[in-house]
Amino acid sequence: MDQLELGKPEERRKPEKRVNGIFWIILLNIGIYVADHLFQVRGIKSLYLYHNWPAWYQFVTATFCHANWNHLSSNLFFLYIFGKLVEEEEGNFALWLSYILTGVGANLVSWLILPRNAVSVGASGAVFGLFTISVLVKMSWDWRKILEVLILGQFVIEKVMEAAQASTALSGTFRGGNSLQSVNHIAHLSGALVGVVLVWLLSRVPSQPPNGEVSNSHRKKDRTL
């Protein structure tokens, strides 16, 4: 009886997925912030996205830079939540790919829309992209999944509405010429939209059955022949 009771938890226990990618992304954001604002390392400012004359790599590197500690801490909070959800569902590579693509997409839209004197930094676009992806990949008819979507959904609806209102008054956002301290709602909205497009594109890719299933199906056909 004791052996059966001890054996049941081990048999039912599922292998845990190792979630490491999100912590490396967080450490990279913190490391660049420390080098920039605490040690004031020369060259870090060149990683910012300067809209007047941007270098190609700045569309990527700007997603790891932040204007101040409040900017960084708020992004890290949501980055951990949504990034962990994406990595648990889709894996480490999908997390990094989603972070880079949504962050670059958000910076690209910001560069196209915002004034030339603007400077874009922050992981906000990638955070909103990861949020959208985490919601879409969890959508199913399971009541637990639906509850998660509803809880997370109220957050994105509020932010999208703020972004829509901000996009109608961009000139007021950049008053005083201090564009770096402004909230880039365009990046929030575009990052979320890039996440939707990314999930849609991946859903169009046909999934191939595992090798075991293919071989088994061939064996069944051989037996019938």
Side-chain angles (χ1 to χ4, degrees):
M1 188 69 180
D2 294 339
Q3 293 179 352
L4 291 176
E5 291 178 354
L6 292 174
K8 286 181 180 179
E10 295 180 358
E11 294 174 358
R12 295 179 180 178
R13 187 179 302 162
K14 296 180 180 180
E16 296 182 357
K17 294 183 179 180
R18 300 184 65 181
V19 181
N20 295 323
I22 187 58
F23 293 106
W24 285 111
I25 292 177
I26 289 175
L27 286 176
L28 184 57
N29 278 273
I30 295 176
I32 291 179
Y33 175 84
V34 170
D36 185 12
H37 296 277
L38 296 184
F39 294 103
Q40 298 181 351
V41 177
R42 291 184 178 180
I44 297 295
K45 291 291 191 296
S46 65
L47 303 180
Y48 293 6
L49 176 59
Y50 298 93
H51 290 219
N52 57 348
W53 193 258
W56 66 268
Y57 60 85
Q58 292 176 351
F59 290 93
V60 179
T61 56
T63 62
F64 298 96
C65 303
H66 291 82
N68 50 56
W69 175 251
N70 291 333
H71 185 205
L72 173 65
S73 61
S74 61
N75 276 340
L76 291 184
F77 176 76
F78 293 113
L79 179 61
Y80 173 75
I81 294 176
F82 303 133
K84 188 170 182 289
L85 290 174
V86 172
E87 187 172 10
E88 287 175 345
E89 293 289 334
E90 304 298 327
N92 185 294
F93 177 76
L95 169 66
W96 279 95
L97 184 65
S98 300
Y99 183 92
I100 296 298
L101 291 181
T102 55
V104 170
N107 284 334
L108 180 60
V109 174
S110 299
W111 175 68
L112 292 173
I113 295 179
L114 298 182
R116 295 295 96 181
N117 65 334
V119 180
S120 293
V121 292
S124 301
V127 167
F128 272 76
L130 291 174
F131 162 75
T132 305
I133 295 172
S134 67
V135 169
L136 293 178
V137 298
K138 280 181 170 293
M139 291 186 68
S140 67
W141 291 111
D142 184 8
W143 69 269
R144 288 177 290 268
K145 300 293 184 181
I146 294 176
L147 183 61
E148 290 180 356
V149 170
L150 291 176
I151 293 174
L152 296 175
Q154 64 177 356
F155 172 79
V156 76
I157 291 175
E158 178 184 354
K159 294 302 180 181
V160 168
M161 291 301 295
E162 291 179 2
Q165 294 175 357
S167 62
T168 60
L170 285 177
S171 60
T173 308
F174 294 90
R175 288 182 300 190
N178 194 2
S179 57
L180 185 61
Q181 300 295 330
S182 303
V183 178
N184 190 352
H185 293 290
I186 296 299
H188 297 169
L189 181 59
S190 56
L193 292 178
V194 172
V196 173
V197 173
L198 183 60
V199 172
W200 180 80
L201 290 176
L202 293 178
S203 66
R204 308 295 293 179
V205 178
S207 58
Q208 297 180 353
N211 295 331
E213 295 182 4
V214 175
S215 60
N216 290 334
S217 61
H218 284 299
R219 289 176 183 175
K220 291 181 181 179
K221 290 181 179 179
D222 294 339
R223 289 178 182 175
T224 55
L225 295 175

